[in-house]
Amino acid sequence: MAILGIDIGGTGMKGALVDPTTGELVSDRFRVPTPQKRNPKSMAKAVSKIVTHFDYKGRVGAGFPTIIKNGICLSSGNLHKSWKNENVSEIFKKETGLEFTVVNDADAAGYATMNYGVGKGEKGLVIMITIGTGLGSGAFYNGELIPNFELGQIPYKKFKKIEEWASNNAMQREGLEIEEWALRFSKFLKITELLVAPDLFILGGGLSKRFNEYEHLIKSKTPIKVAALKNNAGIVGAAAAVK
Ligand code: BGC
């Protein structure tokens, strides 16, 4: 049976029906913008719109852009601060009447990539980085997820977290050229390399699609692959979390 996977981001929320055995989308994607308030009430309503669009009745898998432990949001990330310590699954259940399995969005994207995508069979320490509103990270050791790696939260210079300086959001906010942004991203990869010595980086999220434009500027020595599932990885991984 197809499972509804929803990838909840700081900018957009995307859902699709997924065949959990093959990891393939069996419907079109449906996207709603993340409400500007980014608070529990408005976001639950947006999730409900996606559920209604698919007229879906089963358990939903959702990737959520914060630290998630047992369904509880432990950091508010780029969302409204009132999310902190809230039970995300319960909030979505209240609005939709459906059960939810909620996991961190980058963990979900990484899970999909490791099981159905370019990470399949990769051994050692693989770090998936999603480049979007924030910098998400998913860590896998010999294919097993180590949940809630938060590499985007490393403090850097005057920034409380490096994602404020090196994410897609930073590029938009400061009007950076792709090359200027890439030098920052390269620095982020080099710091990560120093801290956890990965065997492979896999890039996903919006800016991974433009990798060929900035590949030559990346200074880290760790091999890099681009997630071919690209923007669908979060949806597929969220659905797989239900399985
Ligand atoms: C959050 C992460 C999330 C990432 C990408 C960060 O702000 O701390 O949990 O994975 O954004 O959405």
Side-chain angles (χ1 to χ4, degrees):
M1 200 195 81
I3 295 173
L4 176 60
I6 305 182
D7 181 13
I8 300 175
T11 313
M13 301 163 70
K14 293 147 271 172
L17 297 172
V18 178
D19 177 336
T21 321
T22 59
E24 272 163 24
L25 262 53
V26 293
S27 74
D28 283 343
R29 284 162 40 125
F30 179 67
R31 181 184 190 277
V32 297
T34 304
Q36 266 183 356
K37 282 188 180 158
R38 296 182 183 168
N39 62 1
K41 200 169 162 203
S42 64
M43 286 178 69
K45 283 208 170 8
V47 164
S48 175
K49 259 194 207 162
I50 297 176
V51 169
T52 308
H53 172 86
F54 289 102
D55 191 21
Y56 182 77
K57 300 282 183 273
R59 180 181 274 268
V60 183
F64 199 74
T66 70
I67 303 173
I68 294 288
K69 261 200 166 167
N70 305 319
I72 313 280
C73 167
L74 294 186
S75 63
S76 47
N78 290 303
L79 304 181
H80 191 269
K81 57 181 185 330
S82 58
W83 270 112
K84 196 167 172 193
N85 297 325
E86 289 293 342
N87 187 321
V88 185
S89 324
E90 285 302 318
I91 287 173
F92 292 164
K93 182 179 172 181
K94 235 169 138 187
E95 190 67 36
T96 61
L98 300 181
E99 299 288 340
F100 275 73
T101 300
V102 181
V103 293
N104 172 264
D105 58 347
D107 285 354
Y111 185 88
T113 306
M114 295 302 288
N115 285 281
Y116 311 108
V118 298
K120 206 168 175 181
E122 291 289 351
K123 297 279 178 246
L125 183 62
V126 179
I127 301 286
M128 167 96 191
I129 305 286
T130 60
I131 318 159
T133 310
L135 284 177
S137 50
F140 295 81
Y141 191 69
N142 288 341
E144 285 287 315
L145 172 69
I146 311 168
N148 292 312
F149 246 56
E150 286 280 333
L151 296 166
Q153 303 296 311
I154 298 167
Y156 186 69
K157 291 189 176 167
K158 61 175 184 178
F159 295 90
K160 247 169 77 187
K161 34 191 185 169
I162 196 162
E163 70 174 8
E164 290 172 4
W165 180 73
S167 65
N168 193 2
N169 215 20
M171 178 159 106
Q172 308 290 334
R173 196 184 58 232
E174 295 185 42
L176 302 178
E177 296 297 329
I178 188 90
E179 290 79 11
E180 292 171 286
W181 167 82
L183 292 174
R184 295 184 179 192
F185 184 64
S186 171
K187 182 75 190 176
F188 166 68
L189 292 183
K190 280 199 78 165
I191 292 172
T192 298
E193 192 172 54
L194 190 66
L195 291 178
V196 297
D199 296 288
L200 176 68
F201 282 122
I202 301 181
L203 307 185
L207 278 179
S208 67
K209 288 187 227 156
R210 298 178 63 182
F211 186 58
N212 61 342
E213 291 174 51
Y214 58 83
E215 183 176 8
H216 61 289
L217 297 169
I218 301 294
K219 300 275 182 306
S220 84
K221 292 191 181 61
T222 308
I224 298 179
K225 282 187 175 180
V226 177
L229 291 163
K230 294 204 170 106
N231 263 343
N232 289 336
I235 298 176
V236 174
V242 169
K243 193 179 65 151

